[in-house]
Amino acid sequence: MSDREALRLDFLKSAGLSEAARAPLPGDASTRRYERLTTTSGQTLMLMDQAPSAESPPCDPSWTPEQRKAAGWNATARLSAGRIEAFTAVAEHLRHAGLSTPEVIAVDAPNGLAVIEDFGDDLFARVIADGEPQTPLYLAAVDAVARIHMAALQPPVMQGPGGDWPLLTYDVTALQGGADLFVEWWPKFRPQVDFGQGALDEWAEAWAPIAAMGEAKAWTIAHRDYHAENLIWLPDRTHHRRVGLIDFQDAVLAHPVWDLHSLLQDARRDVPPELEAVCFDHYCDVALVDREQYRADYAALAALNEARILGVFARLITRDGKPRYAQFMPRMWAHLDRNLQRPGLERVAAWFARHVPVEARL
């Protein structure tokens, strides 16, 4: 028996769940793993397992950009490193705002273990594939995002059963660092591309005003991975609470459009342009915001995020040996190309036209 398994068994015993049947769930791109627990009474729960040693450290709020970069990717991008205390604190904060997050049943944050409520398997992507009309689900997801944004001001520190967790700003260092994944990893995925120092300087200059805008307008909590495979349909609940939220441990203060473009320009599934437009307009109506300004910001930050995701996929393929992520790249290039047609993104569009020819994109 591994040391990690021994920790899991001790934790389940302390939670009164030593007799529960355990069924591992398929993994994803993270270092986190889940098991579905079935108690002797037939209740199901989820065991969340995130070994703290599996990731580089998260960002200390006091660190400078240089210290963050030296500490590794999690600190640079202000990712939580999967910390259980981050998950439980964000869950508690969002629940107080009226959202549906899993109840935390038991937690051992120092060892990276938690037992949480089981929302079931009805991921948005799955129930839509099974024939559920997608418009009501997407409008409910937009309502849930608007609910977050219209809640009280976000606290500098969130409190939860696993401990406190800082709510950090998705700042220039994190935003530019995300975009930079593209220029770091795309040449390793497509060796015919070679970005010299001049191209790298142009890249940084083109994204600088967009990253600055993203930081300047970061005033609300963002889930940061808000898409159809992280949302669970809970039809027995009402209004925005029908949207079950998971995988939100990387939440930060960000521009309100961040979760909108994650939802509506999904890397893993096609959202029809007409549905994207309906949902965007619905958000603007509910949140009472300047539609044209939000549309411009939405395109700019979506483009930055798509460059980031293309870099992440290139890294998963070349470094981690996960070729299945190549299937998502054409969709992300299509989103990126469409966003780069918006006014204000001419310098970024020109950079891609000069340095990444069409034949080097797929």
Side-chain angles (χ1 to χ4, degrees):
M1 180 189 304
S2 70
D3 291 344
R4 189 72 193 164
E5 175 63 7
L7 279 174
R8 287 191 286 265
L9 290 174
D10 286 345
F11 172 63
L12 290 172
K13 182 178 180 180
S14 69
L17 294 166
S18 57
E19 300 301 317
R22 298 165 59 189
L25 271 63
D28 58 12
S30 74
T31 56
R32 190 169 50 256
R33 64 189 297 272
Y34 291 93
E35 295 180 12
R36 176 163 279 126
L37 308 175
T38 304
T39 69
T40 53
S41 66
Q43 180 189 16
T44 62
L45 300 166
M46 298 296 294
L47 171 65
M48 180 187 297
D49 179 3
Q50 173 69 60
S53 61
E55 295 268 0
S56 63
C59 181
D60 186 305
S62 69
W63 284 348
T64 66
E66 291 72 24
Q67 289 173 309
R68 286 162 60 185
K69 292 173 184 176
W73 175 242
N74 285 329
T76 300
R78 288 189 159 162
L79 298 173
S80 69
R83 291 292 200 273
I84 294 295
E85 56 267 41
F87 181 92
T88 59
V90 177
E92 192 75 4
H93 174 76
L94 293 177
R95 188 178 301 110
H96 281 307
L99 282 300
S100 290
T101 58
E103 180 185 356
V104 179
I105 309 300
V107 61
D108 176 2
N111 285 315
L113 296 165
V115 174
I116 63 174
E117 180 182 4
D118 181 10
F119 277 167
D121 295 322
D122 286 342
L123 298 173
F124 273 37
R126 185 171 297 162
V127 298
I128 291 169
D130 288 343
E132 188 76 25
Q134 62 183 339
T135 297
L137 275 71
Y138 272 87
L139 289 174
V142 171
D143 285 337
V145 165
R147 174 77 181 197
I148 297 172
H149 298 169
M150 293 186 291
L153 290 176
Q154 314 303 322
V157 176
M158 296 175 288
Q159 299 175 328
D164 294 347
W165 191 257
L167 183 59
L168 302 178
T169 299
Y170 206 19
D171 63 1
V172 166
T173 299
L175 290 163
Q176 185 69 54
D180 288 348
L181 287 177
F182 180 85
V183 291
E184 178 181 359
W185 288 97
W186 201 257
K188 298 171 184 176
F189 175 65
R190 287 288 178 259
Q192 68 266 42
V193 172
D194 181 18
F195 303 137
Q197 190 57 51
L200 296 177
D201 291 343
E202 292 171 17
W203 172 264
E205 291 167 4
W207 287 115
I210 296 167
M213 177 272 290
E215 177 178 339
K217 297 184 179 182
W219 62 266
T220 189
I221 192 168
H223 179 295
R224 203 159 43 153
D225 206 11
Y226 196 75
H227 58 76
E229 292 188 8
N230 277 340
L231 304 176
I232 298 177
W233 188 232
L234 304 173
D236 292 338
R237 303 190 184 190
T238 58
H239 305 300
H240 57 272
R241 297 194 72 253
R242 294 175 296 171
V243 182
L245 308 181
I246 59 173
D247 208 18
F248 42 68
Q249 61 280 340
D250 290 325
V252 287
L253 279 177
H255 193 302
V257 301
W258 195 266
D259 286 340
L260 271 183
H261 69 65
S262 295
L263 175 70
L264 301 176
Q265 297 192 6
D266 197 329
R268 293 169 176 80
R269 68 180 310 274
D270 292 322
V271 178
E274 57 273 18
L275 177 57
E276 179 183 5
V278 166
C279 289
F280 182 88
D281 286 343
H282 180 65
Y283 175 84
C284 293
D285 290 340
V286 171
L288 301 175
V289 298
D290 183 324
R291 192 179 310 270
E292 288 310 308
Q293 185 59 64
Y294 266 55
R295 196 181 306 279
D297 293 352
Y298 173 92
L301 290 173
L304 185 148
N305 193 42
E306 283 138 14
R308 179 189 71 84
I309 291 172
L310 285 165
V312 169
F313 288 165
R315 182 175 64 185
L316 285 167
I317 294 166
T318 59
R319 186 191 70 184
D320 302 333
K322 297 180 177 181
R324 68 187 184 90
Y325 287 93
Q327 67 185 301
F328 305 129
M329 287 179 170
R331 184 179 293 112
M332 296 312 291
W333 277 111
H335 288 322
L336 178 60
D337 288 341
R338 181 157 58 91
N339 286 318
L340 292 181
Q341 295 174 22
R342 293 283 304 179
L345 295 174
E346 292 84 0
R347 291 185 68 186
V348 179
W351 187 94
F352 277 101
R354 281 196 303 273
H355 299 293
V356 191
V358 173
E359 61 272 17
R361 297 188 182 192
L362 299 176

